[in-house]
Amino acid sequence: MRILGFNESTNTLRLIPDTLDDLYLLARIISSGDAVEAKTYRRYRPNESDEGEQKEIIVKIRVEKIEIDKNASRLRLTGKILSGKPEEYVSLGSYHTLNIACGERIDITRDGWPGYIREMLKEAVDASKRPRLGVIALDDEKAAIAYVRGYGIDIAAEIYSKLSKKMKESEYERQKSKFFDEIISKINAMQVDTLIIAGPGLMKDDLKEYIKANRIQISKNIAWVSSSDAERSGIKEAIQSEEVSKLLERDKIKQEFNYLNLLLRGLSVGASFAGKEKVEAAIDTYGAGIVLVNDSVINEPEIKQLLNKAYEQHAKIVIFNADDDAGMQLKGLGNIAAIGKQLAG
């Protein structure tokens, strides 16, 4: 997430979402009644008999409907048009859907920006700077060492194998071992929990076998995937693979279940609180350390009030996806719960 600016006089925030996670975050914080402005396309017909053509315009809508299209990686916002440019292509008061993609600038205007929402945005900006994944793409010529950050792929180093088909077999194997040792040294130095090792041909598989045969311990989650080459294009191909998508989703779900298990442990000993009334009582007595809430209810006025109060008390606010397994369990507990300070640490 990139924050471009904030207009205090109009309460308008200008930003650019960089990842699908950023689009999910916007779907959580944008609520019905907010005004959103973005670049879009609209068919312009000079008259009813004309088929018309698509025109690029900028429109501001009053949001009525919010949804995420996972397949297209788009945030869809539907509402009536408040204003637009060029004016001749805009029909004020008519309905329009903004399809927001990663990398597209949007302006959001709302009555106020609660502290917990500002904190969520700050965390998203910070997350875009931190490595989300480590990636090593290798072939028989080189290995590219890269980090996947919110703003894109950052290639940190390249290691050349110095292998040649003219080498004797024994010399070739010695040099390949040196190549693998250099790669493993880089792996151990990478400050990530999850690592993708990708590449075409056999070199990737040989590295996997080398690590196994030499009983080399690597304290990272590793996904081995295929890619066309050891260039930026191969790295991009690897991180868009189904295996990596599943790995990231498992990590996210695991984190949510860790919070949920802590909550359930607290409920058994009276150190956690489930449901709006009990959470409110915990917050009023300064006993809430972590507040868990489903994204399906965060725009309800009473929930907003509770979250604002929790934020002011420096409680950590964790927002679940209501459609995930953990979110569905939280729904059974009233969509909102709190972990007591003694458990939260």
Side-chain angles (χ1 to χ4, degrees), residues 138-199:
L138 72 154
D139 56 22
D140 56 2
E141 292 184 358
K142 71 174 183 178
I145 317 298
Y147 292 99
V148 181
R149 305 183 191 273
Y151 54 79
I153 297 167
D154 177 13
I155 297 179
E158 290 183 334
I159 302 170
Y160 289 89
S161 69
K162 300 177 185 176
L163 294 170
S164 170
K165 293 180 180 179
K166 296 179 181 179
M167 290 177 170
K168 293 179 181 180
E169 184 177 351
S170 58
E171 184 184 0
Y172 185 92
E173 290 302 320
R174 279 197 302 272
Q175 184 56 41
K176 187 164 74 168
S177 294
K178 288 182 180 180
F179 179 45
F180 287 166
D181 287 339
E182 279 193 74
I183 293 173
I184 292 165
S185 176
K186 290 290 186 182
I187 289 174
N188 290 329
M190 295 180 81
Q191 299 298 310
V192 293
D193 295 322
T194 304
L195 179 68
I196 312 305
I197 300 181

Side-chain angles (χ1 to χ4, degrees), residues 18 24 37 83 151 240-241 244 268-269 271 278 286 303-304:
D18 287 316
Y24 268 104
E37 181 177 278
S83 62
Y151 54 79
Q240 291 176 338
S241 67
V244 174
S268 67
V269 296
K278 290 184 179 180
Y286 293 83
I303 299 296
K304 283 183 178 180

Side-chain angles (χ1 to χ4, degrees), residues 117-129:
I117 288 183
R118 294 199 303 270
E119 190 65 28
M120 290 164 65
L121 289 166
K122 180 181 180 297
E123 288 177 1
V125 171
D126 291 343
S128 72
K129 300 173 184 176

Side-chain angles (χ1 to χ4, degrees), residues 242-283:
E242 184 177 350
E243 296 97 322
V244 174
S245 296
K246 288 180 179 178
L247 182 65
L248 290 175
E249 185 64 20
R250 283 199 302 271
D251 284 348
K252 177 176 177 293
I253 291 171
K254 180 181 177 181
Q255 186 181 44
E256 288 186 350
F257 270 109
N258 285 341
Y259 282 120
L260 191 63
N261 288 334
L262 185 61
L263 170 72
L264 295 175
R265 193 164 80 240
L267 288 174
S268 67
V269 296
S272 293
F273 317 91
K276 189 165 52 179
E277 290 77 13
K278 290 184 179 180
V279 170
E280 183 175 12
I283 293 172

Side-chain angles (χ1 to χ4, degrees), residues 3 39 54 61 71 85 105 109 112 123 135 152 157 173 200 202 232 254 274 278 308 321 328 340 344:
I3 305 297
K39 185 183 295 183
Q54 292 284 356
I61 65 169
N71 295 326
K85 300 174 185 178
R105 192 191 82 188
T109 304
E123 288 177 1
V135 184
E173 290 302 320
L202 298 175
R232 182 179 294 272
K254 180 181 177 181
K278 290 184 179 180
N308 275 325
N321 183 339
M328 291 173 69

